[in-house]
Structures are given as structure tokens and as C-alpha cells.
Amino acid sequence: MGGAAGALAAPGQAVAVRVWPGGGVSVETLWDLHLGLGIHDTHHDTQRDAHPHAMPRAVDAVFGPEDTSLVLDRQANQATPTAGPSQDGHTYSSHAITATRLNQPAGSTSPSPWVIIQADGVRIVDASRASAGPLVAVLAAGIPAPHQLKAVDLMLMPAHADAQQLAALAQHLAPRIAVLAPGSGVDQVGSAAVVVIGHNTVAVSAGQAHTGTRWVQPNDQPWAMPAALAQAFERKEAANAASQAVFAPLSIAQMDFVPGNGTHTPRWNPEHMDATERLFFSRIYHSVDPEIPVMDQRPKQMPDQYTPAHPQWIGAEEARHMQRTQAYSRRFAYLLEAPPTVPDTPASIRRNRLFKNPLELLALMHRHYGEHTAHVKKKMALDHWPAQ
């Protein structure tokens, strides 16, 4: 399963926008950062479905009604994220989520309803808690300035808006994707039909062609995974969790240990395992929803050709990366409900027919994690294994 390493969370990676009861929204990224909006408590109803190995948790930070800016970030090798107002001169990682409230016109005493969220190159406008009529009026008056709301990938529309108001908002902002509130009662905007989806998640990524606004209406409940699929996911995640536990305590020297028998360093193994799962799942997800790009981040197969993608990462960060992959696969798993024929895969996989459907793919990943973890344990038992 050879290949070239790719960018980790460069612009273009899929961002999940999820709608929750009470009008709350979360924005979730490949780096597994979760920003909440319209949520007054980080332990609101935004927890993921409970399952034993994916560490369900609530959002990492909330952008509140009085906030003017917020940056949610976590640097590599740091165990927990940080969140706070944007600071000039501060260096943030490429994985940061930023939220900014646009300024109100002079003399206004209420907070601006316009919030701009940016993550992995995606530009989101949240106006879901505003009144539609005044928004249309201020846009018609050129407030805010048009350049402040340009190139919108996704817009969360006001909860109470009729088709005419929605059409006016879309005419001014031209979002690629417009998300209506659950139960909006609007089934068509102009000549475009509103697509109703049976769960609370919409995927969006940067760099997509704009061919007209796509209107979608999610509900406020997560997708319920069928029992057989849930069991297969949990088995895969259990094998992944066991593998994380092996890598998490390792130092950089141990991760880059070169065995004397010509085999790979320990670091190659999590890179290979992660990239394999991301490639296979992203191919299936992309075939159903083109907003989710294919990720081919596979390291070179042969030890003498391998260059670490992130040589500065300690074992704990490689383990967190493994967990991010599990979160990614589960985040968009609703696309597995009725997938088409498994799309084109690398020649070695087509030749060996290792899987034909999601359950077979999950079983393959379960075995894959166990096999590579066993390889690394053997390296750790060698006489010349570094003590620290």
C-alpha cells in the first residue's frame, strides 16, 4: 500500500457543520476541534453518540452572544486545545478555527448577528439566530460591506424566514450551501428544491466549484448507526485504542528507532495505518458526497524510501492522530448507509479483493491495526531498543 505523504489538514479538508436541539450549532474539523455556537454550556446536547473507544465529548469552546472574536486551536504535541480572543502577533496553527463577529453600524447597541467562521479554508456565515427581515434590509443598504461576506461556502440561515427572504439573502451572499433550520417549512427557494436530510450533519470543504446555491435542511438529531455497522466500528476502534496505548508513551527517539533487521521504524506504522483508513473511507465518502475530498497521505512503502511526515511528533501526538482518524471515519459514517459500489481503489486492493462493502472494510481495518501493533511490540523487545 505505497504512496506519497500528503498534507494533513490543508485547505480543502472536510468540515462538518452539525445542528443541535435548541438551535445550537457545532463546527468540527479533521484536527478534531469542535466549536459551538448558540450553545450556552459546553456540556449541552452536543455530545457524540456514546461508544466505548471514541472518547465522546462535548464541544471544546463556545462562541457566545457577546463574543467578538475567538480562536480555537491546539498545537501539535499539546494535549488539550486552547480558546480565547484573537491576539495580534500570536502564532496559531494551520488547524485553528476562528470566529469573528462583524461590527454593527455606528450607533447600534445590540451585538451584530453576522458571525464568520473559518476552518481548513472553509468560510461559514452563521446568521441562524438573527431575524430574516432586518438582515435583508441591511444587506440591501450595503451594511455590512459586501466584501465582508464574500466567498461563502456555507451559510446557516435564520430560523424564521420565508422563501422570499431566503432567496434575498442568497442573492446578496451567494453561498454554495445554504442550511435551513430544522422544520423550516420551506420546500423550495426560487427554482431550487430544498433537500431534507435525515440527520444533523452537513459536510463542506473549500475549493469546490460554485454552480448555484444548494439548499439543505437537516434535523437536529445525529444519524443512528445500524447495529451491525456499530458493532463493526466498535471492534475497529477497540483495536485502534489498543494500538494508541502502545504508541502514546513513546519518545521521538523511540518513534524513530531503526531496527537492525531492515524493517520500518515504529513511526511508519501509525502513519501507514492512519493513511490507509483515511484513504479507503474518504474514497467511499467522496463517491457519495463530493464535498469530502479523497485523502491519500500514505508514506512510502519501503523503509529506505520513507520520510516521516511529522518527525517532531512525540508518540502521544501520533496516538492523537490515530484518534482523529477514528473520529473522521465516524463523523461522516452516515454516508455508509446506502453507499454505491465501492469506488476505485489502489491496484493492490482491487487485485486482492480485500473488501467489497463497509463491513468488510471495517474488518480489514480491525485486522490491520492488530497486525501492525504486533510488529511494533516486537521492535520494542529488541536488545538495542532505546530506554527513553
Side-chain angles (χ1 to χ4, degrees):
M1 302 177 186
L8 181 63
Q13 296 304 336
V15 173
V17 177
R18 308 184 73 185
V19 179
W20 299 96
V25 173
S26 64
V27 176
E28 305 176 8
T29 67
L30 184 64
W31 195 243
D32 207 25
L33 294 176
H34 295 210
L35 176 67
L37 300 102
I39 297 170
H40 304 296
D41 187 315
T42 55
H43 296 283
H44 189 66
D45 294 334
T46 57
Q47 290 197 340
R48 309 177 200 177
D49 293 342
H51 52 282
H53 303 292
M55 296 186 295
R57 59 171 172 77
V59 294
D60 296 304
V62 171
F63 187 80
E66 303 300 325
D67 289 332
T68 57
S69 72
L70 184 142
V71 181
L72 173 61
D73 196 13
R74 190 185 64 76
Q75 302 281 351
N77 293 337
Q78 291 183 350
T80 57
T82 59
S86 175
Q87 300 179 33
D88 291 340
H90 186 82
T91 300
Y92 297 102
S93 80
S94 61
H95 313 296
I97 304 177
T98 65
T100 306
R101 191 178 302 277
L102 297 185
N103 293 329
Q104 282 281 60
S108 176
T109 58
S110 60
S112 169
W114 301 104
V115 178
I116 309 297
I117 304 101
Q118 298 189 83
D120 286 350
V122 171
R123 189 174 176 86
I124 299 166
V125 172
D126 180 18
S128 59
R129 283 159 294 283
S131 298
L135 291 188
V136 174
V138 297
L139 285 172
I143 305 169
H147 75 273
Q148 293 179 296
L149 296 171
K150 66 179 180 180
V152 177
D153 291 295
L154 182 146
M155 181 173 177
L156 292 152
M157 290 295 186
H160 303 290
D162 59 31
Q164 185 176 358
Q165 292 169 327
L166 293 168
L169 290 170
Q171 180 180 4
H172 285 287
L173 277 72
R176 289 196 303 106
I177 303 171
V179 178
L180 276 61
S184 70
V186 177
D187 57 11
Q188 186 165 326
V189 180
S191 60
V194 175
V195 177
V196 178
I197 58 179
H199 53 82
N200 71 341
T201 305
V202 179
V204 59
S205 61
Q208 302 285 337
H210 195 326
T211 57
T213 298
R214 176 162 62 93
W215 296 87
V216 297
Q217 178 184 293
N219 65 32
D220 60 7
Q221 297 298 315
W223 175 67
M225 188 177 289
L229 192 63
Q231 291 172 1
F233 259 91
E234 288 174 5
R235 289 187 73 235
K236 171 184 70 77
E237 290 164 348
N240 183 275
S243 189
Q244 289 181 47
V246 171
F247 291 104
L250 302 187
S251 66
I252 290 178
Q254 291 168 326
M255 292 296 294
D256 295 331
F257 167 65
V258 180
N261 56 9
T263 59
H264 280 290
T265 63
R267 188 182 299 278
W268 179 88
N269 290 271
E271 286 190 17
H272 169 75
M273 291 186 292
D274 275 322
T276 299
E277 178 164 341
R278 288 184 181 213
L279 174 61
F280 291 167
F281 276 87
S282 68
R283 282 183 181 274
I284 295 173
Y285 293 163
H286 177 77
S287 73
V288 183
D289 185 353
E291 288 287 337
I292 300 179
V294 175
M295 290 187 285
D296 188 354
Q297 301 166 350
R298 293 170 294 164
K300 292 290 186 181
Q301 183 72 23
M302 301 308 295
D304 61 349
Q305 298 176 343
Y306 165 65
T307 300
H310 303 282
Q312 76 281 14
W313 283 7
I314 58 176
E317 189 61 44
E318 293 285 3
R320 282 189 285 269
H321 190 54
M322 296 172 73
Q323 178 57 36
R324 289 191 287 270
T325 296
Q326 302 311 292
Y328 165 82
S329 296
R330 192 174 270 269
R331 182 174 296 129
F332 300 112
Y334 59 87
L335 297 170
L336 299 174
E337 187 164 36
T341 302
V342 174
D344 286 344
T345 54
S348 62
I349 301 303
R350 292 200 302 272
R351 182 174 62 250
N352 295 323
R353 296 181 60 82
L354 292 180
F355 67 91
K356 300 187 293 292
N357 58 58
L359 292 178
E360 290 191 13
L361 173 56
L362 287 161
L364 168 64
M365 293 295 97
H366 173 264
R367 294 192 302 271
H368 199 225
Y369 285 120
E371 290 168 358
H372 281 277
T373 304
H375 295 333
V376 174
K377 287 181 177 179
K378 290 179 181 178
K379 301 177 196 296
M380 296 169 66
L382 295 174
D383 291 340
H384 49 302
W385 171 256
Q388 59 184 16

